[in-house]
Amino acid sequence: METLLNVPQGTFEIQRLPYRKNEQLRAWDAADEYLLQYLSDQGELTEESRILILNDRFGTLALALNTFKASAMSDSWLSQQATRLNLSANNLSQTAIELHNSLDWPEQQFDCVLIKVPKTLALLEDQLIRLQQLITENTTVIAAGMVKAMSATVWKLLEKYIGPTKPSLAKKKARLIFVKVEVQQQFENPYPVYYPLENTQYKICNHANVFSRESLDIGTRFLLQHLPENTEAKDIVDLGCGNGVVGLMLAESHPLSQLYFIDESYMAVASAKENFSQALPSRTADFSVADGLTDFKAETMDLIVCNPPFHQQSTVGNQIALTMFRQAHRVLRKGGNLWVIGNRHLGYHIDLKRLFTGVNEIAANKKFVIWQVKK
């Protein structure tokens, strides 16, 4: 797959994360190209321009605009790591971009804000509310995305929190939205949201980019009904933890075990950390924003429970799940167990059988299947 981005700002080698052999997808889309071409044609940016980039998936915009030393904000650890690696691959200094996560925003005001529209519109809403403090009526605000991602809600959110919008013509199925800043009132941020966890006394925190923010999703509900109980596992991982509900319930049924919560979303790990500390204030656990189990030593865990995501932004596939399965095989001690839930049509058992000797179906319904495998 093509890895050389050719835009008016230069030519850059840009790759996606996680890496995979025979990658079929580029690290950028037509909306990135459209936006960079527009900025070049307008010629309004100067060396002093303060630029903020939101949701730049693999650092495409940040690299192309590296001479401005822009700030880039993302909720994704993989996005930030891809930006770092792509800077190095292009012999650019790590200081060329100032990276921020979704809960650690810069405090300065910006002359130009570039928004790649995220898949989760609650995240966009959270970002627009936070953005109000960082822009003035002179700030240029441009949202970019593929036309299929530009739902009516995107326009409404931009107009509600920032100001009137004007669309560009569509090119290669991509579109820009120009937003005139007319911030008149400051809105209270509704995120994070909270809901009572059914059949418990716990109240669950969910930041804006966490899946199923307002209630327990049906997949997790099914998994909670069939979690391993009273095992001798000393070290337990909630892999791809989201809001940490699965790990929390495992901690409750395993009072002597050490729990590890891992996700590549900063908002997910923040949610899991709050939920654990509020529910079990006398317990300690480990919380990591990372690429799965990459940083774990081999054969150090006894039980890993995983509900793998099958999409990365708008890209659907099993790559992330396969990576998690391989990591789990390396990190599990001999005799350790991996529990996986997935949509029936994904057929995870086929991939699991390539790595593990035994794959047992624990439970199934019309939509989900839970498998247990032992190392």
Side-chain angles (χ1 to χ4, degrees):
M1 175 50 64
E2 180 183 3
T3 59
L4 283 179
L5 171 70
N6 292 290
V7 288
Q9 292 81 1
T11 299
F12 304 91
E13 174 80 18
I14 304 181
Q15 296 194 40
R16 301 170 63 95
L17 281 185
Y19 292 127
R20 64 175 178 175
K21 295 181 180 179
N22 304 315
E23 179 61 73
Q24 300 298 309
L25 300 172
R26 300 188 308 181
W28 65 91
D29 59 22
D32 292 310
E33 296 173 320
Y34 196 172
L35 179 54
L36 291 170
Q37 183 66 56
Y38 173 82
L39 293 173
S40 176
D41 292 343
Q42 293 301 113
E44 295 179 355
L45 297 178
T46 68
E47 291 183 0
E48 289 74 34
S49 295
R50 295 164 298 179
I51 303 173
L52 175 63
I53 305 169
L54 305 184
N55 313 316
D56 187 15
R57 286 192 298 170
F58 303 106
T60 300
L61 298 176
L63 263 70
L65 301 173
N66 71 87
T67 57
F68 299 96
K69 294 188 177 180
S71 296
M73 200 289 303
S74 173
D75 187 51
S76 167
W77 185 94
L78 282 172
S79 171
Q80 293 200 349
Q81 184 66 1
T83 301
R84 297 185 186 99
L85 294 175
N86 285 325
L87 282 169
S88 296
N90 290 273
N91 297 313
L92 296 172
S93 170
Q94 296 294 315
T95 61
I97 308 297
E98 185 177 280
L99 294 175
H100 292 266
N101 68 58
S102 53
L103 298 172
D104 176 31
W105 281 60
E107 297 181 356
Q108 71 185 79
Q109 291 189 323
F110 290 91
D111 303 305
C112 179
V113 178
L114 308 175
I115 306 171
K116 285 299 294 295
V117 175
K119 179 179 179 180
T120 304
L121 295 184
L123 175 61
L124 177 62
E125 182 177 29
D126 177 86
Q127 291 174 341
L128 295 178
I129 294 172
R130 294 172 186 265
L131 188 60
Q132 290 180 321
Q133 303 290 335
L134 309 181
I135 57 178
T136 70
E137 292 182 354
N138 296 320
T139 303
T140 298
V141 178
I142 307 173
M146 303 306 291
V147 172
K148 63 182 180 181
M150 297 289 201
S151 67
T153 304
V154 172
W155 301 73
K156 291 177 181 178
L157 290 174
L158 289 168
E159 291 175 349
K160 177 179 179 180
Y161 294 113
I162 306 300
T165 60
K166 180 181 178 181
S168 72
L169 296 174
K171 291 184 179 180
K172 297 182 180 180
K173 299 182 180 180
R175 173 165 283 146
L176 307 180
I177 303 176
F178 307 101
V179 191
K180 179 177 175 56
V181 179
E182 290 186 358
V183 179
Q184 297 180 350
Q185 69 176 103
Q186 297 298 316
F187 291 84
E188 183 177 351
N189 197 328
Y191 305 103
V193 298
Y194 296 82
Y195 67 83
L197 179 60
E198 54 198 54
N199 302 317
T200 75
Q201 59 185 357
Y202 305 141
K203 193 173 184 179
I204 299 302
C205 164
N206 288 268
H207 283 278
N209 199 36
V210 179
F211 177 67
S212 192
R213 290 171 303 282
E214 298 180 354
S215 63
L216 192 64
D217 66 277
I218 57 175
T220 301
R221 179 181 291 110
F222 185 57
L223 178 58
L224 292 180
Q225 295 170 358
H226 300 281
L227 285 179
E229 295 182 356
N230 302 318
T231 70
E232 296 182 357
K234 295 180 180 179
D235 297 287
I236 301 175
V237 182
D238 184 351
L239 178 57
C241 64
N243 62 18
V245 166
V246 171
L248 173 60
M249 301 312 293
L250 284 169
E252 187 179 69
S253 61
H254 295 75
L256 300 181
S257 300
Q258 175 66 27
L259 271 292
Y260 299 81
F261 295 81
I262 304 162
D263 204 292
E264 75 99 24
S265 161
Y266 289 91
M267 285 187 167
V269 173
S271 301
K273 190 172 185 178
E274 178 173 340
N275 290 329
F276 189 89
S277 63
Q278 291 296 317
L280 303 173
S282 62
R283 293 279 294 275
T284 60
D286 186 89
F287 299 87
S288 301
V289 184
D291 178 16
L293 300 167
T294 300
D295 297 330
F296 279 62
K297 294 181 180 179
E299 300 185 356
T300 53
M301 297 293 118
D302 300 301
L303 173 63
I304 300 173
V305 180
C306 181
N307 182 1
F310 56 90
H311 55 78
Q312 184 177 15
Q313 291 292 328
S314 58
T315 303
V316 177
N318 67 345
Q319 174 61 22
I320 294 178
L322 285 174
T323 299
M324 288 180 164
F325 299 161
R326 295 189 188 103
Q327 291 175 344
H329 185 270
R330 180 182 66 84
V331 169
L332 280 171
R333 296 184 175 109
K334 185 176 181 180
N337 288 277
L338 169 66
W339 287 54
V340 176
I341 183 172
N343 290 69
R344 181 180 290 275
H345 71 274
L346 295 173
Y348 285 152
H349 61 289
I350 297 173
D351 298 315
L352 290 168
K353 286 179 179 179
R354 296 191 180 107
L355 293 168
F356 297 87
T357 54
V359 179
N360 300 312
E361 182 180 304
I362 298 299
N365 60 22
K366 293 182 179 180
K367 190 167 185 178
F368 299 100
V369 183
I370 300 172
W371 294 279
Q372 175 208 25
V373 297
K374 179 177 289 190
K375 181 177 179 180

